[in-house]
Amino acid sequence: MKKILLGTAVLAFSAGMALAQDTVRMGTEGAYPPYNFINDKGEVDGFERELGDELCKRAELTCEWVKNDWDSIIPNLVSGNYDTIMAGMSITDERDQVIDFTQDYYPPTESAYVAASDGVDIKGGIVAAQTATIQAGYVAESGATLVEFATPEETVAAVRNGEADAVFADYDYLVPLVEESNGELMFVGDRVPLGGGVGMGLRESDTELKEKFDAAITAMKEDGSLNDLLKKWFGDEVATY
């Protein structure tokens, strides 16, 4: 779904084997609702918080949530600042060269363009996307002029203030923004399927931890509870397992 790797990271780090302890530090961005966000109490909330807590419960682990900016989220996983990434991160071949992934817990989905009018040129105009995302990579190759921003909120603001003709992001992230804009924002062009679904990122050395989380995700797919969470946070039209 979202997000391409910024630069490269060295995988020589071997400390921090998550299974040496019962507490697993879950890294997230906290800025991409409804996947993850910070609620009024200052706590990590959203689909991935609820899912992550349930996965840890099933794996008999204790979760501690750590907020990290998107542009350094993979390097800080590799360096040991936390043990997993749950941050709406699409599984891509490029990332898989640096970190490992569980199976997907959100099916492959679509990205979309949103603009302030329906006559914008999404192929030759100025399109905003969040830095280091699969959407930014797509725009860069599309013929449009890419403008990148550190946070998803800034990409939408660029459309509102006329800095960009459109924003390209996950469809599910954009839906509530369009619905709540009272006609100020609208979808334009066709949706674009990108990525291999969203998975949990882990260090490549943490094979046992991956196995525990994979087993928990499989169990939630089989008993229907993962589909229930998807519908709760994304609506009845969301793709399910």
Side-chain angles (χ1 to χ4, degrees), residues 21-155:
Q21 53 188 8
D22 292 330
T23 299
V24 176
R25 298 159 297 167
M26 312 283 277
T28 194
E29 182 184 16
Y32 207 69
Y35 296 93
N36 58 83
F37 58 91
I38 304 301
N39 63 24
D40 293 339
K41 297 180 180 179
E43 300 170 340
V44 173
D45 204 340
F47 165 68
E48 287 171 315
R49 171 63 192 266
E50 188 170 357
L51 173 61
D53 285 348
E54 178 63 20
L55 293 175
C56 281
K57 179 181 177 181
R58 293 182 183 226
E60 299 182 344
L61 298 166
T62 300
C63 286
E64 288 183 357
W65 289 87
V66 179
K67 184 179 179 299
N68 195 95
D69 290 343
W70 177 256
D71 59 2
S72 61
I73 203 164
I74 287 179
N76 283 338
L77 169 70
V78 174
S79 64
N81 289 3
Y82 34 82
D83 306 302
T84 75
I85 294 172
M86 288 193 75
M89 180 172 283
S90 292
I91 301 168
T92 68
D93 291 340
E94 184 179 358
R95 291 187 184 124
D96 200 34
Q97 294 175 10
V98 180
I99 62 174
D100 208 348
F101 284 97
T102 62
Q103 63 178 292
D104 61 292
Y105 55 77
Y106 192 110
T109 187
E110 297 174 314
S111 298
Y113 293 92
V114 161
S117 65
D118 58 8
V120 300
D121 180 7
I122 58 176
K123 295 301 182 183
I126 300 172
V127 178
Q130 188 178 9
T131 299
T133 63
I134 56 177
Q135 287 84 9
Y138 179 85
V139 173
E141 297 178 357
S142 72
T145 298
L146 169 67
V147 288
E148 297 180 83
F149 296 90
T151 68
E153 292 88 350
E154 290 174 296
T155 65

